[in-house]
Amino acid sequence: QVQLVESGGGLVQPGGSLRLSCAASDFTLDLVAMSWFRQAPGKEREGVACISGVDANTYYADSVKGRFTISRDNAKNTVYLQMNSLKPEDTAVYYCATDRTGSSRCNYNDMDYWGKGTLVTVSS
């Protein structure tokens, strides 16, 4: 059974860093697009970063560009989200997601398989 399990969330001060991990099981993620979304209290879920399958092109929301980095470790079948210079507005539950069809293309609207999320709180 396909599973996505996020970890690495927590409480961090403004300006700090966190690295989120998403471990995938029952499929190999190097050929498929993997993405990170977030949902802040009272707001809609938004896509923040995506890494395409095969050639590993990366895409970012304007709100995180230059601060967040998405990457993957094929040997560990894990995707990461390195978050630097965190701001209070980055506070949200962060979800890992992929496309059930196994598409290698980054299209947030096609992401339909989700992990349970990990909470990131940025506060002093």
Side-chain angles (χ1 to χ4, degrees):
Q1 182 176 353
V2 171
Q3 279 193 321
L4 298 172
V5 179
E6 302 95 336
S7 61
L11 173 64
V12 63
Q13 292 188 341
S17 298
L18 279 177
R19 189 178 78 157
L20 306 183
S21 300
C22 172
S25 60
D26 284 353
F27 75 101
T28 52
L29 54 74
D30 59 332
L31 298 179
V32 303
M34 299 293 298
S35 59
W36 285 96
F37 285 72
R38 68 185 180 187
Q39 188 165 20
K43 295 189 176 181
E44 292 189 357
R45 191 176 296 185
E46 64 168 339
V48 296
C50 186
I51 184 166
S52 66
V54 184
D55 50 8
N57 290 326
T58 57
Y59 306 89
Y60 300 93
D62 288 343
S63 57
V64 307
K65 203 170 292 183
R67 301 188 297 122
F68 289 11
T69 302
I70 188 171
S71 63
R72 69 180 185 223
D73 184 329
N74 294 338
K76 294 184 178 180
N77 218 35
T78 298
V79 174
Y80 302 99
L81 185 68
Q82 177 67 43
M83 306 186 296
N84 299 329
S85 302
L86 282 162
K87 305 174 181 180
E89 51 264 43
D90 294 318
T91 295
V93 178
Y94 284 72
Y95 299 89
C96 175
T98 190
D99 179 347
R100 289 178 192 266
T101 68
S103 173
S104 64
R105 296 184 304 168
C106 277
N107 186 333
Y108 291 128
N109 291 332
D110 290 340
M111 301 297 167
D112 58 359
Y113 199 88
W114 304 84
K116 293 185 178 181
T118 185
L119 176 63
V120 172
T121 304
V122 184
S123 176
S124 55

